[in-house]
Amino acid sequence: MMLLGLLALACETPETQDTQVCVTDAVFFEEEVAPVLSDCVGCHLEGGVASEARYALAVGTDEDTLAANRAALEAFILDTEDGADLLLDKPSGQISHAGGLRMDRSDPAYAALHEFVARTQDPGGCAHPGTPLPTCDGGELQGAPIAPRRLTDAQIRNAARDLFGVDPGPGVFPPSVRGKDFRTFASANPVSGPDAEQLMLAAETVAELVDVDALLAGCATDACAHDWVLETAERAYRRPLTQKEQQIATRFVDAGLSVDEGVRMSIMLLLQSPQFLYLDAVPEDSGVLDDHAIAARLAFFLTDTLPDETLREAAAAGELHTREQVAAQAARLVQDPRALRAVENFHDDWLDGYRMDGAERDASYYPHFSEATLASMQAEMDLMVTEVLWGGEATFANLMFSQTTWVDSELAAIYDLPDPGPGWHRVELGPERPGVLTRAGFLTGHAYTASSSPVQRGAFVLQEMLCEELVPPQDVNMDLPPESEEAETIRERLAQHAADPACASCHDRMDPIGFAFENFDAVGSWRDAWESGIPVDATGSLADPAGDFDGAAEMLGSVATSERAMRCYAQRWYEYGQGRPVDDADLCSLSAVQARFEASGGDIRALMVDIAVSDAFRAQIPSETAQEAE
């Protein structure tokens, strides 16, 4: 967006005394912000749809109108605690907005509002007083620099099995932290003192289990052991070794030990080396991701293990330089059965599967609930996700609205179906149960021991389907009022809680969505009345996407078909692939990925490929040190 500059004043920099164009705050508002507001004034004028908002705008471009609109917005930013955030977050879809999504964070219109907020908070300058947002005029930008991240426990286990032909089983390697973040995040895979000790013990376990004779293909000489270690180390490190690394990797097989002992010691060394344990670990004389590092990213993102032979050959031949080359390999890998691991892992994290870990239920309400029930719920979720994405049309809509699922005897009772007998059986559920959010596992994970939780269920939809950030206020009592004659239902108790203005900002957004799920109890069974016997009220309304609903099916019919939901789902996959939350530096790459996901009709496999070919995924600088080295 170019400034007209016709009304600009001249100002001198004290350092150079050079005359520069000074864009005053008033000029910036007139030339950059006022055109953006022309899309807002229709609702935000007196008597308009948004007339109850905390600021009102006037129609017109004359001097007095511009001054009045500027004053109204400046007061909103400065005198309202959350004014600055709301002005930016609502039109960009980060918070529910009755006017819907008006702009993307990578749009020039958003950049204009961003600078206006900064100028209002720090007035009187000639330029943006804060950090300007990246521009996408030149296409995508690289993502934010990050430090190398440790492989997940499953990735280490898969890699060890591929390298050495043995599986030590679950729980041997340090576990990835299961929580609100994706398992691929660095924060979910720390290496503390106890973790390092567990890694050492796990390496010893693997070394004890291997069949050395089979690994060396029957050639039990020092030369064969030396060559095997070098070849295996290159596979483990996902790139050619430096001379120093070659010497370190072969130190045991070249030290005069027996072949058997030397190989086992080498395995222990490889499994504990940072070059194996960390993604994006690069040679000391390198600072950027080369073809080998990109191959490793592709493999661990899409198949949860080391690069296969085809990918290694492509990297060695320098055939992972271009977007087209990477796209061809990614398209191949998403068809690989091992890609099911990434699909299951992503959706387990996205759906807060950790909430089912060790979940318990009040036996007086749910006498048949057990660990076996939880195991069946987790298995059902994996089976459903697998079928949606690999057994049919792999779309976001199918994930959110499919009525097909898999049940065993445990789940048949929850879904009020006849006992199907031993094993798993594919069934069709009714229209009141569309997609993954009405399955027993999700509903159980977002419930309490003896009751459902509209707050948890509503918060999930806001945060994970609409990408709204919920920040509970400090020093506020989070406990709900007890059940009473005036508040016999959870809806009435939440209404009392939300009467506190400090609580209302979140609950006004969460609770209506959560109430839509109230026909499902704490294990996901259908009910028509609450525990008190009062009929369930599952009605509510939303501002963005706008509409009234009665029940989860109607609510999801509005939310899951919205542009916001598709963009949020694409963002979550992007974060899973990058191994970190999005940053401002991701705006251009992320916006391009989201736009292509929408254009594809929500094709999830195409989304996975698209993330793999994004600039941020292919060319990200791994650390501040690497930046300096470059």
Side-chain angles (χ1 to χ4, degrees):
M1 186 182 298
M2 297 184 60
L3 294 173
L4 297 176
L6 297 178
L7 301 178
L9 304 175
C11 64
E12 291 186 346
T13 57
E15 295 84 0
T16 65
Q17 298 299 311
D18 290 336
T19 300
Q20 298 178 341
V21 173
C22 181
V23 181
T24 65
D25 295 339
V27 169
F28 181 82
F29 182 85
E30 177 182 348
E31 296 179 356
E32 300 293 319
V33 181
V36 175
L37 297 181
S38 65
D39 187 46
C40 309
V41 69
C43 293
H44 281 275
L45 55 84
E46 292 289 346
V49 175
S51 58
E52 295 184 2
R54 285 176 281 180
Y55 66 88
L57 301 174
V59 180
T61 57
D62 59 274
E63 184 178 346
D64 290 342
T65 300
L66 290 175
N69 285 344
R70 179 185 170 198
L73 287 179
E74 287 178 339
F76 180 61
I77 292 169
L78 297 174
D79 300 339
T80 308
E81 182 178 1
D82 56 351
D85 291 336
L86 292 176
L87 190 65
L88 294 171
D89 292 348
K90 283 208 167 193
S92 60
Q94 298 173 79
I95 294 179
S96 295
H97 181 223
L101 183 68
R102 311 307 299 180
M103 63 188 69
D104 188 87
R105 292 181 69 211
S106 61
D107 290 344
Y110 183 87
L113 289 181
H114 184 270
E115 180 167 348
F116 173 66
V117 169
R119 283 173 173 269
T120 300
Q121 295 172 332
D122 186 10
C126 294
H128 196 317
T131 303
L133 293 170
T135 174
C136 302
D137 293 344
E140 295 184 24
L141 293 180
Q142 295 179 13
I146 59 169
R149 49 191 160 106
R150 199 201 85 194
L151 302 178
T152 69
D153 53 356
Q155 289 170 342
I156 296 174
R157 180 182 171 191
N158 292 336
R161 182 172 53 242
D162 292 348
L163 289 169
F164 310 119
V166 296
D167 184 355
V172 174
F173 292 103
S176 299
V177 177
R178 284 169 58 81
K180 64 181 181 63
D181 292 334
F182 286 112
R183 69 189 66 193
T184 56
F185 283 17
S187 59
N189 297 283
V191 179
S192 62
D195 291 327
E197 183 177 0
Q198 188 172 354
L199 277 168
M200 180 183 68
L201 296 174
E204 291 176 357
T205 299
V206 172
E208 291 171 359
L209 292 173
V210 298
D211 182 338
V212 173
D213 187 60
L215 290 178
L216 301 184
C219 180
T221 67
D222 290 343
C224 288
H226 179 95
D227 291 344
W228 177 85
V229 168
L230 285 180
E231 178 185 351
T232 304
E234 282 204 359
R235 290 179 60 200
Y237 292 3
R238 290 90 70 182
R239 56 169 174 76
L241 275 62
T242 64
Q243 184 175 2
K244 182 178 180 181
E245 288 170 339
Q246 292 180 31
Q247 295 171 348
I248 294 174
T250 58
R251 65 169 55 173
F252 294 115
V253 291
D254 293 345
L257 301 173
S258 68
V259 169
D260 185 90
E261 186 177 5
V263 167
R264 295 184 194 278
M265 293 288 287
S266 298
I267 290 172
M268 292 171 58
L269 172 67
L270 291 179
L271 286 176
Q272 296 178 79
S273 63
Q275 296 94 324
F276 167 71
L277 290 171
Y278 286 89
L279 194 61
D280 297 340
V282 295
E284 293 178 3
D285 59 351
S286 174
V288 297
L289 300 184
D290 59 13
D291 285 30
H292 298 285
I294 292 171
R297 279 196 166 198
L298 280 174
F300 282 112
F301 170 40
L302 297 174
T303 65
D304 232 26
T305 191
L306 299 165
D308 61 11
E309 184 176 359
T310 302
L311 199 53
R312 293 198 304 273
E313 290 176 351
E319 295 175 351
L320 292 175
H321 280 338
T322 68
R323 183 186 296 269
E324 291 73 23
Q325 290 171 336
V326 175
Q329 292 293 336
R332 177 181 67 85
L333 291 176
V334 297
Q335 300 296 333
D336 190 308
R338 295 175 301 171
L340 293 176
R341 300 168 178 167
V343 170
E344 291 177 356
N345 291 343
F346 167 80
H347 287 95
D348 181 62
D349 289 349
W350 181 59
L351 295 167
D352 295 339
Y354 73 94
R355 289 179 175 271
M356 284 192 286
D357 295 347
E360 298 179 348
R361 288 296 176 267
D362 189 325
S364 61
Y365 288 102
Y366 307 103
H368 302 296
F369 187 85
S370 66
E371 291 184 7
T373 309
L374 282 174
S376 293
M377 290 176 176
Q378 183 62 68
E380 179 204 12
M381 195 65 71
D382 290 342
L383 286 168
M384 180 189 173
V385 166
T386 297
E387 178 170 29
V388 165
L389 295 172
W390 255 258
E393 190 178 359
T395 64
F396 179 64
N398 200 19
L399 180 70
M400 300 309 301
F401 297 111
S402 173
Q403 294 177 24
T404 300
T405 195
W406 291 80
V407 300
D408 59 1
S409 296
E410 291 274 349
L411 294 177
I414 289 175
Y415 291 137
D416 196 25
L417 298 172
D419 189 333
W424 287 90
H425 304 265
R426 188 174 184 271
V427 299
E428 292 289 326
L429 301 178
E432 73 279 359
R433 286 190 182 270
V436 291
L437 299 195
T438 64
R439 298 299 180 261
F442 171 81
L443 295 165
T444 297
H446 297 80
Y448 297 121
T449 303
S451 68
S452 60
S453 174
V455 172
Q456 291 184 28
R457 293 168 179 178
F460 174 87
V461 173
L462 276 177
Q463 292 176 306
E464 302 305 327
M465 287 192 66
L466 299 176
C467 284
E468 285 199 25
E469 185 177 359
L470 292 173
V471 182
Q474 297 181 350
D475 302 324
V476 171
N477 183 5
M478 304 297 287
D479 295 332
L480 295 184
E483 186 175 331
S484 65
E485 291 184 3
E486 294 77 23
E488 297 183 274
T489 68
I490 186 67
R491 180 184 280 265
E492 291 167 337
R493 292 167 62 197
L494 280 169
Q496 287 186 345
H497 180 67
D500 183 341
C503 304
S505 60
C506 286
H507 282 279
D508 287 349
R509 292 149 62 198
M510 291 186 301
D511 296 352
I513 298 173
F515 292 140
F517 292 101
E518 278 299 272
N519 283 117
F520 303 109
D521 66 13
V523 298
S525 290
W526 183 269
R527 63 183 179 184
D528 293 309
W530 279 298
E531 291 82 357
S532 61
I534 297 174
V536 165
D537 179 0
T539 60
S541 62
L542 287 172
D544 180 20
D548 299 330
F549 54 80
D550 186 354
E554 289 187 10
M555 183 274 293
L556 291 171
S558 176
V559 170
T561 57
S562 69
E563 180 183 3
R564 289 184 69 201
M566 292 187 69
R567 292 171 63 86
C568 183
Y569 181 78
Q571 177 178 322
R572 293 298 184 240
W573 260 112
Y574 183 94
E575 293 172 327
Y576 178 86
Q578 294 285 55
R580 57 173 175 77
V582 295
D583 183 90
D584 280 349
D586 292 297
L587 288 181
C588 302
S589 279
L590 176 60
S591 295
V593 166
Q594 290 171 321
R596 289 191 287 264
F597 182 55
E598 292 179 66
S600 74
D603 187 321
I604 298 174
R605 280 177 288 196
L607 171 64
M608 296 168 68
V609 173
D610 203 29
I611 290 168
V613 303
S614 66
D615 285 357
F617 189 92
R618 293 184 298 112
Q620 189 173 54
I621 299 171
S623 68
E624 296 294 344
T625 302
Q627 277 188 303
E628 295 169 4
E630 187 181 25

